[in-house]
């Protein structure tokens, strides 16, 4: 028994480190630094928390690269560890984006929640058991609801949080219902056992309901149309670091888990997408993907708030990424991970840059960006890189992500080129997306600044984070193999 | 080979301009000019040392090994010819933008970024790399027009960017599909061109990729970005657009669409409206472009629109030349790329820089009041020379190129060749009309009150001289270019085309 406990402890050690760091942050903040200035408290708490994340990363590097506790309850594989490291990295970056913000006096609590959400995501990606997945998903979701509503002075933050919470609660209910049906069908909570029980038989109505509710639950998390209604409000109303975290970290974890659940748990009932369709989850997801691409990109055209624009573009990007699940091969898994990691980095950077503008001008409307290139050239250059990467212009990370994703989708359908209609739609929609990204950049570079506009002074730490994210976007685009090599190495083993 | 440095030096120049302290426009001009001159010198050196026109690898290093994608630059006679053209236009463009005062450093930085990417497209051998450079071109183009342009600049810039992006999206679908079908081992041009794609695949991939590139080459009816974009653009950007960027599209049609999918040119096996293959379709579209562009140019009031539509007409010659599928037609098409690049650049320089920036109008009716042939005789002379080249008078580059294309077309499509003749006649008419109205109008219409126009500056004269010299050189001694173009067309890369419908 103690050997089992030991194994569990070893495997969960990174998450335990995070939890301990979270508690340490909270107690130091409340007990020691209570009376100090916010800046000091934020600096100490951020340092402690990022130290905890770094320690967890180190632990992952030195941990066994393959482990399995209680038949998939908690796993370690190189791929899972890669995703966990990416999650920790995103958490650190989010903390440094948050370090100068002033939306709340409760610095310690905010950082605690970021760390707990990260721990939840790490459990979520490391399990093949629907129960553990659900519980950790709820841990993540609750943390994200709280983060969204963290700015107590802003009614929009509260509104966004309530909306997010109501939609989220409902979709969690759907997901749990689906999982319970799966348990009923297979008498197991393990994904592979579930797959054994459901495959090879004609689709029965219960299984179809389970499939649909699972897709609803995860579709909500990844903000796929038509389950995206929370996203624009949350992206716009939440405090900036919270919105950035929701848009980046939670995407990585949700997509990876979504992929795992669909390909492991529903192996054997994939079906084939149009035009040679047969029933299963592939045609269903293909439809969701197509709807997300169209709706996200078209709705983004009409936005005047840049954060809402990013939200709708996130719906579009979710559509592209769903393509990887639709084509579900080893290559498309690698493509998905490459895409979602670079997307998270880019989005975080874009949010950080938008945050700076919002603090300087008091808004995130398009006309708040007028003449930004004359007010802060470096920040504008970074925003230029982020937005063009999202649009998929080479040599930025977003381009290779798209190229590899579309390539894998074309290659790995049951018959090569089977998904070409979906890929063609995706590429057409990314042409649409160039229009709205250029609308923002036009404000930044073309429109003259307002007559009374001053130079924008960016806190150096924030600037350092933004510049390094921009550099990473450029580097991963110009030399994609840096990241791709790790993904492929991890995937092959 | 040093020719790869044309790319790097342009990018480095752009970077240097961005990092320079603000507010020193003179230094920015000098840096930009030196960068462009260095690029031109490298291109010229590479062109002169290249003997036989065959494909020579310039640089080759693994890039994304898991996909077999390499950073592979190579040059043959066709690409070197176009690299040389880019060098000439780049230098002339900077000379004609010597007076840009608004955000000078950024202007030249975007300009050099565009030039570097254009060099990159012409030199890429790996198609992934080619596509990367091809898309980089879009962004500086957009900002050059949107920031420094004139008439409806934001509209023109966005239209141009979206048209280009839609075109490149079509190309991307075709390229990924070809990559997948060929087994995803390599994206090198030679490997893909050597792979025998199934005929039914080529039948849809060829038009997809050809139209994708054709959009940028001004293929009718997807040409509408060209007049608005050219008119909105600042002079140097119009020169680059007409001079080299449209050539990227034509180059892509020849280099990628036609070499990868030669069977796509074969007969469908049935006829629709008398058209029996994609080759017929594109040949007809090209001829419509020639005639339509010329007719529309004939009735424009805006001087720059005349040149903009003349570009559509001349690009039609290139596309027709490609569709002739015989040696004389194809070499004529490449020669026409060079010729049109030089002449269109020259005309946009006259209209945009010499005339518009002095008179602040491009309306031909108003211009006729300025009595320009007395006010700025140099501009009048340059425009007459450029016009002669554009009409196809012997001695200038346009004559050789268009004659070769028409001969090629005569062999392949006799009926269409007759229509081309109509286009040429209308071409003479619109140049004559614009020349007459802008420069040699009747004296009684002279405006009474206007200040004397500034004299033509030295950089303008220099730029015009360079372009005229280039056109005359090509016109008098086309063999200079043909000696490398013809062997390149006979190289193994075009094997598939020669085996098919070659005549």
């Amino acid at each position: 028994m103690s050997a089992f406990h030991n194994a569990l402890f070893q495997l969960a050690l990174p998450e335990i480190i995070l939890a301990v760091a979270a508690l340490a942050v909270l107690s130091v903040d409340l007990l020691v630094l209570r009376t100090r200035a916010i800046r000091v408290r934020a600096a100490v708490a951020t340092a402690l928390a990022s130290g905890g994340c770094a320690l967890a990363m180190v632990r992952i590097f030195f941990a066994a690269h393959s482990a399995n506790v209680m038949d998939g309850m908690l796993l370690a594989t190189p791929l899972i560890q890669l995703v966990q490291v990416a999650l920790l990295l995103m958490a650190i970056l989010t903390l440094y984006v948050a370090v100068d913000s002033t939306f709340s006096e409760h610095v310690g609590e905010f950082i605690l929640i970021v760390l707990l959400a990260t721990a939840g995501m790490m459990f979520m990606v490391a399990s093949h058991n629907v129960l553990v997945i659900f519980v950790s998903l709820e841990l993540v979701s609750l943390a994200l609801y709280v983060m969204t509503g963290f700015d107590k002075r802003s009614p929009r933050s509260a509104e966004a949080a309530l909306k997010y919470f109501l939609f989220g609660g409902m979709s969690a209910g759907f997901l749990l219902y689906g999982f319970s049906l799966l348990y009923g069908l297979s008498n197991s909570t393990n994904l592979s056992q579930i797959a054994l029980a459901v495959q090879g038989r004609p689709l029965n109505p219960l299984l179809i309901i389970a499939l649909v509710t699972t897709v609803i639950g995860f579709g909500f998390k990844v903000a796929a149309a038509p389950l995206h209604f929370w996203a624009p409000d949350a992206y716009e109303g939440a405090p900036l670091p919270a919105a950035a975290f929701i848009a980046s970290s939670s995407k990585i974890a949700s997509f990876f888990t979504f992929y795992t659940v669909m390909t492991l748990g529903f192996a054997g009932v994939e079906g084939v997408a149009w035009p040679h369709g047969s029933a299963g989850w592939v045609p269903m997801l293909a439809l969701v993907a197509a709807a997300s691409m169209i709706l996200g990109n078209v709705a983004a055209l009409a936005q005047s708030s840049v954060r809402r624009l990013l939200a709708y573009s996130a719906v579009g990007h979710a559509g592209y990424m769903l393509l990887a699940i639709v084509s579900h091969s080893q290559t498309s898994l690698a493509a998905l991970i490459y895409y979602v990691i670079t997307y998270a980095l880019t989005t975080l950077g874009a949010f950080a840059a938008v945050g700076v503008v919002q603090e300087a001008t008091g808004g995130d409307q398009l006309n708040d960006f007028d003449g930004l290139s004359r007010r802060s050239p470096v920040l504008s250059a970074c925003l230029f890189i982020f937005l063009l990467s999202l649009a998929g212009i080479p040599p930025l990370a977003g381009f290779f992500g798209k190229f590899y994703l579309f390539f894998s989708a074309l290659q790995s359908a049951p018959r090569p080129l089977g998904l070409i209609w979906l890929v063609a739609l995706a590429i057409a929609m990314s042409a649409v997306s160039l229009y709205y990204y250029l609308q923002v950049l036009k404000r930044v570079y073309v429109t003259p600044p307002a007559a009374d506009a001053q130079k924008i002074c960016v806190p150096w730490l924030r600037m350092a984070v933004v510049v390094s994210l921009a550099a990473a976007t450029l580097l991963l685009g110009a030399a994609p193999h840096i990241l791709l090599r790790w993904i492929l190495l991890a995937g092959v083993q | 080979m040093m020719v790869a440095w044309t790319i790097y030096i342009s990018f480095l120049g752009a970077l240097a301009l961005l990092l320079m302290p603000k507010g020193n426009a003179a230094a920015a001009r000098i840096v930009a000019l030196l960068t462009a001159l260095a690029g031109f010198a490298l291109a010229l050196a590479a062109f002169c040392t290249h003997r036989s026109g065959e494909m020579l690898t310039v640089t080759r290093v693994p890039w994304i090994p898991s996909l077999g994608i390499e950073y592979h630059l190579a040059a043959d006679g066709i690409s070197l010819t176009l690299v040389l053209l880019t060098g000439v236009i780049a230098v002339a463009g900077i000379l004609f933008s010597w007076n840009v005062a608004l955000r000078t450093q950024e202007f030249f930085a975007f300009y050099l970024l565009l030039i570097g990417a254009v060099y990159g497209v012409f030199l890429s051998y790996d198609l992934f790399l080619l596509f990367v450079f091809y898309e980089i071109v879009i962004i500086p183009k957009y900002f050059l027009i949107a920031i420094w342009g004139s008439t409806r600049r934001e509209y023109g810039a966005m239209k141009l960017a979206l048209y280009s992006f839609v075109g490149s999206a079509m190309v991307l679908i075709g390229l990924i599909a070809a990559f997948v079908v060929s087994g995803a081992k390599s994206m090198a041009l030679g490997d893909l061109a050597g792979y025998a794609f199934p005929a039914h695949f080529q039948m849809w991939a060829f038009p997809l990729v050809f139209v994708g590139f054709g959009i940028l080459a001004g293929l009718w009816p997807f040409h509408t970005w060209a007049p608005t974009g050219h008119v909105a653009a600042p002079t140097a950007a119009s020169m680059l657009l007409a001079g080299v960027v449209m050539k990227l599209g034509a180059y892509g049609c020849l280099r990628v669409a036609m070499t990868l999918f030669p069977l796509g040119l074969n007969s469908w096996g049935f006829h629709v409206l008398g058209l029996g293959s994609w080759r017929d379709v594109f040949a007809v579209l090209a001829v419509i472009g020639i005639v339509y562009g010329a007719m529309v140019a004939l009735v424009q009031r805006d001087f720059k629109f005349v040149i903009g539509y003349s570009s559509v007409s001349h690009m039609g010659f290139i596309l027709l030349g490609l569709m002739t599928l015989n040696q004389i037609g194809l070499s004529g098409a490449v020669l026409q790329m060079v010729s049109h690049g030089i002449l269109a650049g020259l005309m946009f320089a006259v209209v945009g820089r010499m005339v518009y920036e002095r008179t602040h109008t491009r309306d031909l009716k108003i211009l006729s009041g300025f009595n320009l042939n007395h006010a700025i005789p140099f501009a009048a002379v340059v425009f007459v020379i450029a016009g002669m080249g554009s009409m196809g008078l012997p001695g200038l580059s346009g004559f050789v190129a268009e004659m070769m294309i028409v001969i090629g077309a005569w062999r392949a499509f006799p009926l269409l060749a007759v229509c081309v003749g109509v286009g040429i006649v209308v071409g003479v008419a619109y140049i004559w009309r614009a020349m007459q109205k802008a420069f040699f109008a009747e004296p009684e219409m002279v405006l009474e009150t206007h200040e004397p126009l500034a004299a033509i500056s030295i950089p303008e004269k220099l730029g015009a001289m360079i372009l005229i010299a280039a056109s005359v050189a090509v016109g008098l001694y086309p063999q200079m270019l043909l000696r490398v173009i013809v062997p390149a067309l006979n190289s193994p890369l075009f094997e598939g085309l020669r085996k098919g419908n070659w005549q």
Side-chain angles (χ1 to χ4, degrees), chain B residues 475-489:
Chain B
L476 291 182
Y477 188 55
Q479 195 53 32
M480 176 176 76
L481 300 179
L482 289 174
R483 82 182 163 93
V484 291
I485 294 172
V486 173
L489 285 172

PDB file of all heavy atoms in Angstrom, chain B residues 475-489:
ATOM      1  N   GLY B 475      15.809  45.997 -75.479  1.00  0.00           N
ATOM      2  CA  GLY B 475      15.209  46.104 -76.812  1.00  0.00           C
ATOM      3  C   GLY B 475      16.219  45.878 -77.918  1.00  0.00           C
ATOM      4  O   GLY B 475      15.915  45.220 -78.922  1.00  0.00           O
ATOM      5  N   LEU B 476      17.422  46.409 -77.741  1.00  0.00           N
ATOM      6  CA  LEU B 476      18.414  46.275 -78.810  1.00  0.00           C
ATOM      7  C   LEU B 476      19.110  44.929 -78.783  1.00  0.00           C
ATOM      8  O   LEU B 476      19.524  44.411 -79.818  1.00  0.00           O
ATOM      9  CB  LEU B 476      19.458  47.388 -78.685  1.00  0.00           C
ATOM     10  CG  LEU B 476      18.949  48.799 -78.990  1.00  0.00           C
ATOM     11  CD1 LEU B 476      20.073  49.792 -78.873  1.00  0.00           C
ATOM     12  CD2 LEU B 476      18.321  48.861 -80.372  1.00  0.00           C
ATOM     13  N   TYR B 477      19.264  44.381 -77.582  1.00  0.00           N
ATOM     14  CA  TYR B 477      20.028  43.143 -77.506  1.00  0.00           C
ATOM     15  C   TYR B 477      19.318  42.150 -76.588  1.00  0.00           C
ATOM     16  O   TYR B 477      19.803  41.822 -75.505  1.00  0.00           O
ATOM     17  CB  TYR B 477      21.443  43.436 -76.991  1.00  0.00           C
ATOM     18  CG  TYR B 477      22.365  42.239 -77.061  1.00  0.00           C
ATOM     19  CD1 TYR B 477      22.574  41.563 -78.261  1.00  0.00           C
ATOM     20  CD2 TYR B 477      23.019  41.782 -75.920  1.00  0.00           C
ATOM     21  CE1 TYR B 477      23.399  40.467 -78.315  1.00  0.00           C
ATOM     22  CE2 TYR B 477      23.856  40.681 -75.972  1.00  0.00           C
ATOM     23  CZ  TYR B 477      24.044  40.030 -77.172  1.00  0.00           C
ATOM     24  OH  TYR B 477      24.860  38.936 -77.234  1.00  0.00           O
ATOM     25  N   PRO B 478      18.162  41.669 -76.999  1.00  0.00           N
ATOM     26  CA  PRO B 478      17.395  40.763 -76.131  1.00  0.00           C
ATOM     27  C   PRO B 478      18.140  39.469 -75.825  1.00  0.00           C
ATOM     28  O   PRO B 478      17.864  38.811 -74.822  1.00  0.00           O
ATOM     29  CB  PRO B 478      16.117  40.496 -76.931  1.00  0.00           C
ATOM     30  CG  PRO B 478      16.432  40.855 -78.329  1.00  0.00           C
ATOM     31  CD  PRO B 478      17.465  41.931 -78.279  1.00  0.00           C
ATOM     32  N   GLN B 479      19.082  39.142 -76.700  1.00  0.00           N
ATOM     33  CA  GLN B 479      19.832  37.913 -76.497  1.00  0.00           C
ATOM     34  C   GLN B 479      20.514  37.884 -75.126  1.00  0.00           C
ATOM     35  O   GLN B 479      20.701  36.828 -74.536  1.00  0.00           O
ATOM     36  CB  GLN B 479      20.880  37.774 -77.615  1.00  0.00           C
ATOM     37  CG  GLN B 479      21.483  36.404 -77.758  1.00  0.00           C
ATOM     38  CD  GLN B 479      20.424  35.314 -77.898  1.00  0.00           C
ATOM     39  OE1 GLN B 479      19.359  35.539 -78.442  1.00  0.00           O
ATOM     40  NE2 GLN B 479      20.720  34.138 -77.364  1.00  0.00           N
ATOM     41  N   MET B 480      20.838  39.094 -74.623  1.00  0.00           N
ATOM     42  CA  MET B 480      21.417  39.240 -73.294  1.00  0.00           C
ATOM     43  C   MET B 480      20.607  38.461 -72.251  1.00  0.00           C
ATOM     44  O   MET B 480      21.165  37.784 -71.397  1.00  0.00           O
ATOM     45  CB  MET B 480      21.407  40.726 -72.972  1.00  0.00           C
ATOM     46  CG  MET B 480      21.869  41.130 -71.632  1.00  0.00           C
ATOM     47  SD  MET B 480      21.851  42.941 -71.569  1.00  0.00           S
ATOM     48  CE  MET B 480      20.112  43.286 -71.397  1.00  0.00           C
ATOM     49  N   LEU B 481      19.279  38.567 -72.340  1.00  0.00           N
ATOM     50  CA  LEU B 481      18.436  37.832 -71.399  1.00  0.00           C
ATOM     51  C   LEU B 481      18.082  36.448 -71.934  1.00  0.00           C
ATOM     52  O   LEU B 481      18.051  35.474 -71.191  1.00  0.00           O
ATOM     53  CB  LEU B 481      17.148  38.607 -71.118  1.00  0.00           C
ATOM     54  CG  LEU B 481      17.319  40.000 -70.521  1.00  0.00           C
ATOM     55  CD1 LEU B 481      15.968  40.658 -70.322  1.00  0.00           C
ATOM     56  CD2 LEU B 481      18.041  39.917 -69.194  1.00  0.00           C
ATOM     57  N   LEU B 482      17.816  36.382 -73.221  1.00  0.00           N
ATOM     58  CA  LEU B 482      17.346  35.108 -73.772  1.00  0.00           C
ATOM     59  C   LEU B 482      18.397  34.013 -73.643  1.00  0.00           C
ATOM     60  O   LEU B 482      18.058  32.844 -73.545  1.00  0.00           O
ATOM     61  CB  LEU B 482      16.960  35.291 -75.245  1.00  0.00           C
ATOM     62  CG  LEU B 482      15.684  36.096 -75.450  1.00  0.00           C
ATOM     63  CD1 LEU B 482      15.449  36.345 -76.920  1.00  0.00           C
ATOM     64  CD2 LEU B 482      14.491  35.360 -74.848  1.00  0.00           C
ATOM     65  N   ARG B 483      19.668  34.403 -73.620  1.00  0.00           N
ATOM     66  CA  ARG B 483      20.714  33.381 -73.531  1.00  0.00           C
ATOM     67  C   ARG B 483      20.575  32.567 -72.245  1.00  0.00           C
ATOM     68  O   ARG B 483      21.005  31.417 -72.195  1.00  0.00           O
ATOM     69  CB  ARG B 483      22.100  34.026 -73.612  1.00  0.00           C
ATOM     70  CG  ARG B 483      22.567  34.574 -72.301  1.00  0.00           C
ATOM     71  CD  ARG B 483      23.891  35.255 -72.293  1.00  0.00           C
ATOM     72  NE  ARG B 483      23.979  36.056 -71.090  1.00  0.00           N
ATOM     73  CZ  ARG B 483      24.519  35.618 -69.949  1.00  0.00           C
ATOM     74  NH1 ARG B 483      25.084  34.436 -69.900  1.00  0.00           N
ATOM     75  NH2 ARG B 483      24.513  36.375 -68.876  1.00  0.00           N
ATOM     76  N   VAL B 484      20.004  33.162 -71.168  1.00  0.00           N
ATOM     77  CA  VAL B 484      19.796  32.354 -69.961  1.00  0.00           C
ATOM     78  C   VAL B 484      18.353  31.880 -69.834  1.00  0.00           C
ATOM     79  O   VAL B 484      18.099  30.878 -69.177  1.00  0.00           O
ATOM     80  CB  VAL B 484      20.214  33.097 -68.680  1.00  0.00           C
ATOM     81  CG1 VAL B 484      21.718  33.262 -68.636  1.00  0.00           C
ATOM     82  CG2 VAL B 484      19.510  34.421 -68.556  1.00  0.00           C
ATOM     83  N   ILE B 485      17.415  32.605 -70.455  1.00  0.00           N
ATOM     84  CA  ILE B 485      16.014  32.199 -70.291  1.00  0.00           C
ATOM     85  C   ILE B 485      15.728  30.912 -71.067  1.00  0.00           C
ATOM     86  O   ILE B 485      15.124  29.969 -70.543  1.00  0.00           O
ATOM     87  CB  ILE B 485      15.063  33.316 -70.791  1.00  0.00           C
ATOM     88  CG1 ILE B 485      15.205  34.543 -69.898  1.00  0.00           C
ATOM     89  CG2 ILE B 485      13.629  32.837 -70.806  1.00  0.00           C
ATOM     90  CD1 ILE B 485      14.462  35.750 -70.403  1.00  0.00           C
ATOM     91  N   VAL B 486      16.207  30.858 -72.305  1.00  0.00           N
ATOM     92  CA  VAL B 486      15.875  29.704 -73.146  1.00  0.00           C
ATOM     93  C   VAL B 486      16.434  28.400 -72.577  1.00  0.00           C
ATOM     94  O   VAL B 486      15.697  27.414 -72.464  1.00  0.00           O
ATOM     95  CB  VAL B 486      16.333  29.962 -74.599  1.00  0.00           C
ATOM     96  CG1 VAL B 486      16.157  28.717 -75.439  1.00  0.00           C
ATOM     97  CG2 VAL B 486      15.545  31.115 -75.182  1.00  0.00           C
ATOM     98  N   PRO B 487      17.716  28.368 -72.165  1.00  0.00           N
ATOM     99  CA  PRO B 487      18.188  27.108 -71.567  1.00  0.00           C
ATOM    100  C   PRO B 487      17.403  26.734 -70.316  1.00  0.00           C
ATOM    101  O   PRO B 487      17.164  25.557 -70.055  1.00  0.00           O
ATOM    102  CB  PRO B 487      19.645  27.397 -71.212  1.00  0.00           C
ATOM    103  CG  PRO B 487      20.028  28.576 -71.992  1.00  0.00           C
ATOM    104  CD  PRO B 487      18.793  29.356 -72.252  1.00  0.00           C
ATOM    105  N   ALA B 488      16.979  27.758 -69.540  1.00  0.00           N
ATOM    106  CA  ALA B 488      16.209  27.440 -68.333  1.00  0.00           C
ATOM    107  C   ALA B 488      14.897  26.772 -68.707  1.00  0.00           C
ATOM    108  O   ALA B 488      14.454  25.837 -68.041  1.00  0.00           O
ATOM    109  CB  ALA B 488      15.942  28.710 -67.535  1.00  0.00           C
ATOM    110  N   LEU B 489      14.272  27.233 -69.794  1.00  0.00           N
ATOM    111  CA  LEU B 489      13.006  26.625 -70.205  1.00  0.00           C
ATOM    112  C   LEU B 489      13.218  25.209 -70.734  1.00  0.00           C
ATOM    113  O   LEU B 489      12.283  24.413 -70.768  1.00  0.00           O
ATOM    114  CB  LEU B 489      12.332  27.476 -71.288  1.00  0.00           C
ATOM    115  CG  LEU B 489      11.675  28.754 -70.779  1.00  0.00           C
ATOM    116  CD1 LEU B 489      11.216  29.603 -71.946  1.00  0.00           C
ATOM    117  CD2 LEU B 489      10.496  28.425 -69.884  1.00  0.00           C
TER     118      LEU B 489
END
